[in-house]
Amino acid sequence: MTVVMSVPPARAAFRSLELYTPDREACAVDLSDNTNLWGSAPSAVSAAAAASLTRYPSVYADGLRDALAAYVGVASECVVTGCGSDDVLDSAIRAFADPGDKLALSDPTFHMVPLFAKVNGLRLRREELTSVHDVDDDALLAARARITYLCSPNNPTGAAFSRERIERIAREAVGVVLLDEAYVEFAAASCVELVARYERLLVVRTMSKAFGLAGLRIGYAVGSPALVAEVTKARGPYKISAVADVAGRAALAEDREWVQGIVQNVRRARAELSLELRLRGLETVPSEANFLLVKVGVDPVELAKRMRGMGVGVRAFPNVRSVGDAIRITVGPREMMVRGLEVLDACL
Ligand SMILES: *Cc1c(COP(=O)(O)O)cnc(C)c1O
């Protein structure tokens, strides 16, 4: 006899929640997710292969935290790690906001943050960027939100926000300010030193992009010891696997020059791609990241689909506020860029 039992209702905030489903069938040249197309930090790869798996990892990954603190140039008690910076963002939101509280962010920005806001039962307030893709500090401050999320360089525009505006938000916000610097290695400057002056500011970073370790899931954040202590509680134990722990430490110890080389490659490839696009009459947002947001005069979803059919993945951004219809292209080695442009030309 089969007993059919219905599933009890999930928490209220989950009822309208959907699974995260990026349009990501495999393709020959994937320029769609801003990962490192030159590869992974080499010492991390060898350390990962040799990792011992029988024992539990360090509870709060203190060794990795110390290495990240040295990399950034702050004390260890100013750093918290997590399972990707996604997890660090989610943990910070959970630590500092109750269900029903408000999270303010710019539009457009990193698509995962509205998801974390929703999972945590928060209300969203989206504020348009300025005409030069900078953060609207007046509008975000007026929201008086428990959490204010800033992303600089911003995904998907690639533009960095001005330091004066970031600093003003850090100084005047009533709640916690999360500054996502996932792409900071490719940018002209970081704002991480502001954490020494503003106790409510948490700068969130990752080893997924410049270090090429997205598969390992290593994120971290830098902030005042009091702020970091709360995020560490919310993040919980054992979030860094034994493999990520040894591999991340190896990369920080031995692969910094490799990362510098990647940064040079990205900056060169970004300038070249932007020029090629301009020669085709396509406008791009000035980028400080490893991708370009390109304004297109056609339906970007249809364009991305056709390009993927020809083996090149790009990400469609229909109707982006203050930009219009656009696609986002990750920059990579020359042969990938050449193929990407051939397919773009064929599809436009
Ligand atoms: C890619 C990206 C991240 C990185 O996320 P991980 O979870 O660390 O892989 C974080 N923030 C932004 C804006 C990103 O684009």
Side-chain angles (χ1 to χ4, degrees):
M1 195 181 82
T2 336
V3 180
V4 179
M5 290 172 68
S6 62
V7 178
R11 46 190 286 192
F14 283 25
R15 280 174 212 152
S16 58
L17 202 59
E18 283 168 13
L19 292 184
Y20 176 60
T21 48
D23 51 346
R24 228 177 263 157
E25 287 161 57
C27 60
V29 179
D30 192 344
L31 312 177
S32 73
D33 67 3
N34 302 344
T35 47
N36 192 330
L37 299 177
W38 282 271
S40 299
S43 306
V45 176
S46 353
S52 161
L53 306 180
T54 40
R55 310 297 305 268
Y56 282 100
S58 154
V59 185
Y60 289 105
D62 291 346
L64 178 61
R65 182 202 58 186
D66 295 348
L68 286 164
Y71 172 62
V72 179
V74 295
S76 287
E77 77 251 31
C78 298
V79 175
V80 54
T81 57
C83 181
S85 51
D86 288 355
D87 177 44
V88 178
L89 290 166
D90 182 41
S91 301
I93 292 169
R94 194 159 61 244
F96 287 100
D98 285 300
D101 282 342
K102 212 184 303 169
L103 183 149
L105 42 61
S106 299
D107 184 19
T109 197
F110 187 35
H111 55 273
M112 294 293 267
V113 176
L115 187 82
F116 301 140
K118 206 159 182 185
V119 168
N120 289 292
L122 305 198
R123 291 176 294 142
L124 263 192
R125 169 110 167 229
R126 300 175 194 263
E127 297 295 346
E128 200 165 350
L129 292 168
T130 70
S131 57
V132 290
H133 315 286
D134 203 352
V135 63
D136 185 339
D137 48 342
D138 287 327
L140 285 183
L141 285 168
R144 299 188 62 79
R146 269 302 264 286
I147 309 277
T148 303
Y149 172 82
L150 312 175
C151 185
S152 179
N154 189 30
N155 179 4
T157 59
F161 295 164
S162 71
R163 175 180 301 266
E164 294 68 33
R165 287 170 184 243
I166 292 172
E167 182 161 4
R168 178 174 170 229
I169 293 169
R171 186 171 58 235
E172 296 179 20
V174 294
V176 167
V177 177
L178 304 178
L179 172 60
D180 188 336
E181 288 194 338
Y183 300 98
V184 75
E185 280 90 348
F186 311 119
S190 165
C191 284
V192 75
E193 83 287 348
L194 295 179
V195 301
R197 257 174 290 159
Y198 304 103
E199 278 207 300
R200 291 154 178 248
L201 177 66
L202 192 72
V203 176
V204 182
R205 293 210 187 164
T206 183
M207 295 187 80
S208 293
K209 305 284 158 60
F211 285 85
L213 301 175
L216 276 181
R217 316 302 302 124
I218 301 174
Y220 60 102
V222 185
S224 61
L227 200 60
V228 160
E230 297 306 324
V231 180
T232 305
K233 285 188 218 164
R235 165 263 208 207
Y238 301 123
K239 284 295 181 74
I240 296 288
S241 75
V243 179
D245 189 10
V246 293
R249 280 193 281 161
L252 290 161
E254 291 156 41
D255 294 334
R256 303 231 196 141
E257 271 180 38
W258 181 89
V259 170
Q260 278 318 307
I262 294 297
V263 168
Q264 282 170 13
N265 291 344
V266 163
R267 289 178 178 165
R268 193 180 317 118
R270 189 170 71 196
E272 286 172 5
L273 179 62
S274 151
L275 180 62
E276 284 293 336
L277 292 164
R278 201 168 333 132
L279 291 172
R280 288 160 171 81
L282 294 169
E283 200 185 311
T284 57
V285 177
S287 171
E288 293 203 30
N290 64 342
F291 57 84
L292 288 171
L293 189 67
V294 189
K295 204 171 157 167
V296 291
V298 298
D299 176 0
V301 176
E302 203 48 47
L303 175 61
K305 198 181 289 174
R306 288 180 60 198
M307 289 181 71
R308 199 167 270 268
M310 292 181 70
V312 172
V314 296
R315 180 118 182 190
F317 284 88
N319 198 18
V320 178
R321 270 170 104 170
S322 62
V323 176
D325 286 328
I327 56 170
R328 193 191 62 196
I329 306 178
T330 307
V331 304
R334 188 165 280 128
E335 57 281 9
M336 289 192 189
M337 298 294 92
V338 167
R339 183 64 191 147
L341 286 166
E342 274 170 11
V343 168
L344 180 66
D345 288 341
C347 293
L348 273 180

